[in-house]
Amino acid sequence: MSDLLGRLRGRGWRMTSQRRVVAEVLDGDHVHLTADEVHLRAAARLPEISRATVYNTLGELVALGEVLEVSTVGRAKRYDPNARNPHQHLVCSGCGTVRDVHPVGNAIGDLPEEERFGFAVGSVEITYRGLCPGCA
Amino acid sequence: MSDLLGRLRGRGWRMTSQRRVVAEVLDGDHVHLTADEVHLRAAARLPEISRATVYNTLGELVALGEVLEVSTVGRAKRYDPNARNPHQHLVCSGCGTVRDVHPVGNAIGDLPEEERFGFAVGSVEITYRGLCPGCA
DNA sequence: ATCCTACGATGGACTTCGTCCAAGTCAAGA
DNA sequence: TCTTGACTTGGACGAAGTCCATCGTAGGAT
Ligand SMILES: [Mn+2]
Ligand SMILES: [Mn+2]
Ligand SMILES: [Zn+2]
Ligand SMILES: [Zn+2]
């Protein structure tokens, strides 16, 4: 993420304090925050930032491919800045913690031709579920 | 699903016309309806059925393991009556069509020990994405 | 350094999806 | 047939997210 601001400027983004602080909040490993969590942390640095701006900025980052949306079951979407490193997710069924993982197989290849219904399969998402050490 | 009503009676369910019609709507292959779609189709047979009852019944069927909740990206949950046959999903990025598929690998085994972070991994969900023949 | 203006920020209304509740109804056992 | 507690209902409520009219400002032009 360290070069994110530079890439965004290169794409013609007007660099505002709001966008800067959202980008700063989305930094680190295993970061999978909800929009509200991003807003909370951004507001700690920039109290006047609005929810709408956080949603707008997250949506733009997703459209640019800089951030991934992680779908959850019945909960708020989570935003994942680790978009440059393809990975999958391990989710704790107890506390909801999300970790990035890298399985070794080729899941797309595991789908037989006769199971593809003529689709052009382009990507695969894998979610592992279980209990983390703290919740076990 | 044909024996669903029998199983539910065996579990002590009071058999109402509402529950019967919801169970009837959830019949067939590759069925992945939203709660609103279930309500719409149920109301075609039983006009007075309420949204609350559809949500209640779906929630009970999920709790009993008779129906699976399928998470979608930012849209309404989908309900999958094909719970007795373990499977994964192939989703069209164009029209949203969902098909049941059966990959051949062992995805859980593909997650190396050092990538498990001490979790007790119990299940894995795989979503294949691509364009269906109609959308390609 | 100042000006301009189109792009971005704001907050509040609105939508969608889902939950909750008090009151009324009815399935099924006695 | 009677009784009763499980089930249903409509509407209020809540959480997550979108939309929009208006205001503010980043950054190029002068
Ligand atoms: Mn991730
Ligand atoms: Mn299915
Ligand atoms: Zn946990
Ligand atoms: Zn399609």
Side-chain angles (χ1 to χ4, degrees), chain A residues 51:
Chain A
R51 279 185 352 113

Short mmCIF file of all heavy atoms in Angstrom, two decimals, chain A residues 51, chain C residues 11-16, chain D residues 14-20:
data_model
loop_
_atom_site.label_atom_id
_atom_site.label_comp_id
_atom_site.label_asym_id
_atom_site.label_seq_id
_atom_site.Cartn_x
_atom_site.Cartn_y
_atom_site.Cartn_z
N ARG A 51 -19.50 9.69 6.27
CA ARG A 51 -19.70 8.31 5.85
C ARG A 51 -19.74 8.23 4.32
O ARG A 51 -19.17 7.33 3.71
CB ARG A 51 -21.00 7.76 6.44
CG ARG A 51 -20.89 7.27 7.88
CD ARG A 51 -22.19 6.61 8.39
NE ARG A 51 -23.29 6.75 7.48
CZ ARG A 51 -23.84 5.72 6.83
NH1 ARG A 51 -23.42 4.51 7.03
NH2 ARG A 51 -24.85 5.94 6.02
P DG C 11 -20.93 16.51 7.65
OP1 DG C 11 -20.52 17.37 8.78
OP2 DG C 11 -20.46 15.12 7.57
"O5'" DG C 11 -22.52 16.48 7.59
"C5'" DG C 11 -23.25 17.67 7.33
"C4'" DG C 11 -24.67 17.31 6.95
"O4'" DG C 11 -24.68 16.73 5.61
"C3'" DG C 11 -25.31 16.24 7.84
"O3'" DG C 11 -26.69 16.50 7.89
"C2'" DG C 11 -25.05 14.95 7.08
"C1'" DG C 11 -25.27 15.45 5.66
N9 DG C 11 -24.64 14.61 4.63
C8 DG C 11 -23.59 13.74 4.80
N7 DG C 11 -23.25 13.14 3.68
C5 DG C 11 -24.11 13.66 2.74
C6 DG C 11 -24.23 13.38 1.36
O6 DG C 11 -23.55 12.61 0.68
N1 DG C 11 -25.25 14.11 0.76
C2 DG C 11 -26.07 15.00 1.43
N2 DG C 11 -26.99 15.61 0.69
N3 DG C 11 -25.97 15.27 2.72
C4 DG C 11 -24.98 14.56 3.31
P DG C 12 -27.58 16.34 9.15
OP1 DG C 12 -27.49 17.59 9.93
OP2 DG C 12 -27.32 15.04 9.79
"O5'" DG C 12 -29.02 16.29 8.46
"C5'" DG C 12 -29.22 16.98 7.23
"C4'" DG C 12 -30.01 16.12 6.27
"O4'" DG C 12 -29.11 15.36 5.41
"C3'" DG C 12 -30.91 15.07 6.95
"O3'" DG C 12 -32.14 15.05 6.26
"C2'" DG C 12 -30.12 13.78 6.78
"C1'" DG C 12 -29.56 14.03 5.39
N9 DG C 12 -28.46 13.16 5.01
C8 DG C 12 -27.48 12.63 5.82
N7 DG C 12 -26.62 11.88 5.18
C5 DG C 12 -27.07 11.91 3.86
C6 DG C 12 -26.56 11.28 2.71
O6 DG C 12 -25.57 10.55 2.61
N1 DG C 12 -27.32 11.56 1.57
C2 DG C 12 -28.42 12.36 1.57
N2 DG C 12 -29.04 12.52 0.40
N3 DG C 12 -28.93 12.95 2.64
C4 DG C 12 -28.20 12.69 3.75
P DA C 13 -33.44 14.39 6.91
OP1 DA C 13 -34.25 15.46 7.53
OP2 DA C 13 -33.04 13.22 7.71
"O5'" DA C 13 -34.20 13.87 5.60
"C5'" DA C 13 -34.15 14.66 4.42
"C4'" DA C 13 -34.22 13.74 3.20
"O4'" DA C 13 -32.96 13.06 3.02
"C3'" DA C 13 -35.29 12.66 3.30
"O3'" DA C 13 -35.94 12.53 2.04
"C2'" DA C 13 -34.48 11.41 3.68
"C1'" DA C 13 -33.17 11.66 2.93
N9 DA C 13 -32.01 10.99 3.51
C8 DA C 13 -31.62 11.01 4.82
N7 DA C 13 -30.52 10.32 5.07
C5 DA C 13 -30.17 9.82 3.82
C6 DA C 13 -29.10 9.02 3.40
N6 DA C 13 -28.15 8.55 4.22
N1 DA C 13 -29.04 8.69 2.09
C2 DA C 13 -30.00 9.16 1.27
N3 DA C 13 -31.05 9.94 1.55
C4 DA C 13 -31.08 10.23 2.86
P DC C 14 -37.23 11.61 1.85
OP1 DC C 14 -38.07 12.27 0.83
OP2 DC C 14 -37.76 11.28 3.19
"O5'" DC C 14 -36.66 10.26 1.22
"C5'" DC C 14 -35.85 10.36 0.04
"C4'" DC C 14 -35.21 9.01 -0.22
"O4'" DC C 14 -34.11 8.81 0.70
"C3'" DC C 14 -36.14 7.81 -0.05
"O3'" DC C 14 -36.26 7.16 -1.30
"C2'" DC C 14 -35.44 6.94 0.99
"C1'" DC C 14 -34.00 7.43 0.94
N1 DC C 14 -33.22 7.25 2.20
C2 DC C 14 -32.03 6.53 2.16
O2 DC C 14 -31.66 6.06 1.08
N3 DC C 14 -31.32 6.37 3.29
C4 DC C 14 -31.75 6.89 4.43
N4 DC C 14 -31.00 6.71 5.52
C5 DC C 14 -32.96 7.63 4.50
C6 DC C 14 -33.67 7.79 3.37
P DT C 15 -37.33 5.93 -1.48
OP1 DT C 15 -37.94 6.07 -2.81
OP2 DT C 15 -38.17 5.80 -0.26
"O5'" DT C 15 -36.33 4.68 -1.53
"C5'" DT C 15 -35.18 4.76 -2.36
"C4'" DT C 15 -34.39 3.46 -2.23
"O4'" DT C 15 -33.58 3.50 -1.03
"C3'" DT C 15 -35.28 2.22 -2.12
"O3'" DT C 15 -34.77 1.27 -3.04
"C2'" DT C 15 -35.11 1.79 -0.66
"C1'" DT C 15 -33.72 2.31 -0.32
N1 DT C 15 -33.48 2.63 1.11
C2 DT C 15 -32.33 2.15 1.72
O2 DT C 15 -31.51 1.45 1.13
N3 DT C 15 -32.18 2.52 3.04
C4 DT C 15 -33.04 3.30 3.79
O4 DT C 15 -32.79 3.55 4.95
C5 DT C 15 -34.22 3.76 3.10
C7 DT C 15 -35.22 4.61 3.82
C6 DT C 15 -34.38 3.41 1.81
P DT C 16 -35.55 -0.12 -3.30
OP1 DT C 16 -35.47 -0.36 -4.75
OP2 DT C 16 -36.84 -0.08 -2.59
"O5'" DT C 16 -34.64 -1.20 -2.56
"C5'" DT C 16 -33.23 -1.09 -2.65
"C4'" DT C 16 -32.60 -2.08 -1.71
"O4'" DT C 16 -32.53 -1.51 -0.38
"C3'" DT C 16 -33.38 -3.41 -1.57
"O3'" DT C 16 -32.42 -4.44 -1.70
"C2'" DT C 16 -33.99 -3.33 -0.17
"C1'" DT C 16 -32.96 -2.47 0.56
N1 DT C 16 -33.42 -1.68 1.74
C2 DT C 16 -32.60 -1.63 2.86
O2 DT C 16 -31.56 -2.24 2.92
N3 DT C 16 -33.07 -0.86 3.89
C4 DT C 16 -34.25 -0.13 3.90
O4 DT C 16 -34.55 0.52 4.89
C5 DT C 16 -35.05 -0.22 2.71
C7 DT C 16 -36.34 0.54 2.65
C6 DT C 16 -34.60 -0.98 1.70
P DG D 14 -34.84 1.24 16.61
OP1 DG D 14 -34.39 1.10 18.01
OP2 DG D 14 -35.03 2.58 15.98
"O5'" DG D 14 -33.85 0.40 15.68
"C5'" DG D 14 -33.76 -1.00 15.87
"C4'" DG D 14 -32.75 -1.57 14.90
"O4'" DG D 14 -33.40 -1.80 13.62
"C3'" DG D 14 -31.57 -0.63 14.62
"O3'" DG D 14 -30.38 -1.40 14.73
"C2'" DG D 14 -31.82 -0.14 13.19
"C1'" DG D 14 -32.60 -1.29 12.58
N9 DG D 14 -33.52 -0.94 11.51
C8 DG D 14 -34.48 0.04 11.51
N7 DG D 14 -35.17 0.11 10.40
C5 DG D 14 -34.63 -0.91 9.62
C6 DG D 14 -34.97 -1.32 8.31
O6 DG D 14 -35.83 -0.87 7.55
N1 DG D 14 -34.17 -2.37 7.89
C2 DG D 14 -33.18 -2.95 8.63
N2 DG D 14 -32.49 -3.96 8.08
N3 DG D 14 -32.85 -2.58 9.87
C4 DG D 14 -33.62 -1.56 10.29
P DA D 15 -28.94 -0.70 14.67
OP1 DA D 15 -28.23 -1.13 15.90
OP2 DA D 15 -29.09 0.73 14.32
"O5'" DA D 15 -28.26 -1.42 13.42
"C5'" DA D 15 -28.53 -2.79 13.16
"C4'" DA D 15 -27.94 -3.16 11.83
"O4'" DA D 15 -28.87 -2.84 10.79
"C3'" DA D 15 -26.66 -2.42 11.49
"O3'" DA D 15 -25.80 -3.32 10.80
"C2'" DA D 15 -27.12 -1.26 10.62
"C1'" DA D 15 -28.30 -1.90 9.88
N9 DA D 15 -29.37 -1.00 9.49
C8 DA D 15 -29.89 0.03 10.20
N7 DA D 15 -30.88 0.66 9.58
C5 DA D 15 -30.99 -0.03 8.38
C6 DA D 15 -31.85 0.14 7.28
N6 DA D 15 -32.78 1.07 7.21
N1 DA D 15 -31.69 -0.72 6.24
C2 DA D 15 -30.75 -1.67 6.32
N3 DA D 15 -29.89 -1.92 7.30
C4 DA D 15 -30.08 -1.05 8.31
P DA D 16 -24.34 -2.82 10.33
OP1 DA D 16 -23.43 -3.97 10.48
OP2 DA D 16 -24.02 -1.52 10.97
"O5'" DA D 16 -24.56 -2.57 8.78
"C5'" DA D 16 -24.89 -3.69 7.97
"C4'" DA D 16 -25.07 -3.24 6.55
"O4'" DA D 16 -26.22 -2.38 6.47
"C3'" DA D 16 -23.89 -2.43 5.99
"O3'" DA D 16 -23.56 -3.02 4.74
"C2'" DA D 16 -24.44 -1.01 5.88
"C1'" DA D 16 -25.92 -1.27 5.66
N9 DA D 16 -26.82 -0.20 6.07
C8 DA D 16 -26.78 0.52 7.23
N7 DA D 16 -27.74 1.42 7.34
C5 DA D 16 -28.45 1.25 6.16
C6 DA D 16 -29.60 1.91 5.66
N6 DA D 16 -30.24 2.89 6.31
N1 DA D 16 -30.06 1.52 4.45
C2 DA D 16 -29.41 0.53 3.80
N3 DA D 16 -28.33 -0.16 4.17
C4 DA D 16 -27.90 0.27 5.37
P DG D 17 -22.27 -2.47 3.95
OP1 DG D 17 -21.76 -3.61 3.18
OP2 DG D 17 -21.41 -1.71 4.86
"O5'" DG D 17 -22.93 -1.46 2.90
"C5'" DG D 17 -23.94 -1.97 2.05
"C4'" DG D 17 -24.66 -0.83 1.38
"O4'" DG D 17 -25.39 -0.05 2.34
"C3'" DG D 17 -23.77 0.17 0.64
"O3'" DG D 17 -24.05 0.03 -0.73
"C2'" DG D 17 -24.18 1.53 1.20
"C1'" DG D 17 -25.55 1.23 1.79
N9 DG D 17 -25.99 2.14 2.83
C8 DG D 17 -25.42 2.37 4.06
N7 DG D 17 -26.05 3.26 4.77
C5 DG D 17 -27.10 3.65 3.97
C6 DG D 17 -28.13 4.60 4.19
O6 DG D 17 -28.33 5.31 5.18
N1 DG D 17 -29.02 4.68 3.11
C2 DG D 17 -28.90 3.95 1.95
N2 DG D 17 -29.82 4.17 1.01
N3 DG D 17 -27.95 3.06 1.72
C4 DG D 17 -27.09 2.97 2.77
P DT D 18 -23.42 0.97 -1.88
OP1 DT D 18 -23.20 0.09 -3.04
OP2 DT D 18 -22.30 1.73 -1.28
"O5'" DT D 18 -24.58 1.99 -2.23
"C5'" DT D 18 -25.83 1.48 -2.62
"C4'" DT D 18 -26.76 2.61 -2.98
"O4'" DT D 18 -27.09 3.37 -1.79
"C3'" DT D 18 -26.18 3.62 -3.97
"O3'" DT D 18 -27.18 3.84 -4.95
"C2'" DT D 18 -25.89 4.85 -3.11
"C1'" DT D 18 -26.97 4.75 -2.04
N1 DT D 18 -26.69 5.38 -0.74
C2 DT D 18 -27.57 6.29 -0.23
O2 DT D 18 -28.57 6.65 -0.82
N3 DT D 18 -27.23 6.80 1.00
C4 DT D 18 -26.14 6.48 1.77
O4 DT D 18 -25.95 6.99 2.87
C5 DT D 18 -25.24 5.50 1.19
C7 DT D 18 -24.02 5.08 1.93
C6 DT D 18 -25.56 5.01 -0.02
P DC D 19 -26.92 4.73 -6.27
OP1 DC D 19 -27.70 4.11 -7.36
OP2 DC D 19 -25.47 4.96 -6.41
"O5'" DC D 19 -27.62 6.11 -5.90
"C5'" DC D 19 -28.84 6.07 -5.19
"C4'" DC D 19 -29.38 7.47 -5.01
"O4'" DC D 19 -29.00 7.98 -3.71
"C3'" DC D 19 -28.90 8.51 -6.03
"O3'" DC D 19 -30.01 9.32 -6.38
"C2'" DC D 19 -27.81 9.30 -5.26
"C1'" DC D 19 -28.34 9.23 -3.83
N1 DC D 19 -27.31 9.23 -2.74
C2 DC D 19 -27.55 9.98 -1.58
O2 DC D 19 -28.58 10.65 -1.51
N3 DC D 19 -26.63 9.95 -0.58
C4 DC D 19 -25.53 9.22 -0.70
N4 DC D 19 -24.67 9.21 0.32
C5 DC D 19 -25.27 8.44 -1.86
C6 DC D 19 -26.18 8.47 -2.86
P DC D 20 -29.97 10.34 -7.64
OP1 DC D 20 -31.25 10.19 -8.35
OP2 DC D 20 -28.68 10.16 -8.34
"O5'" DC D 20 -29.96 11.77 -6.95
"C5'" DC D 20 -30.88 12.04 -5.90
"C4'" DC D 20 -30.52 13.35 -5.23
"O4'" DC D 20 -29.56 13.11 -4.17
"C3'" DC D 20 -29.86 14.37 -6.18
"O3'" DC D 20 -30.44 15.63 -5.94
"C2'" DC D 20 -28.40 14.34 -5.78
"C1'" DC D 20 -28.52 14.08 -4.28
N1 DC D 20 -27.32 13.49 -3.64
C2 DC D 20 -26.99 13.86 -2.33
O2 DC D 20 -27.71 14.66 -1.73
N3 DC D 20 -25.90 13.33 -1.76
C4 DC D 20 -25.14 12.46 -2.44
N4 DC D 20 -24.07 11.95 -1.85
C5 DC D 20 -25.46 12.07 -3.78
C6 DC D 20 -26.55 12.61 -4.34
#
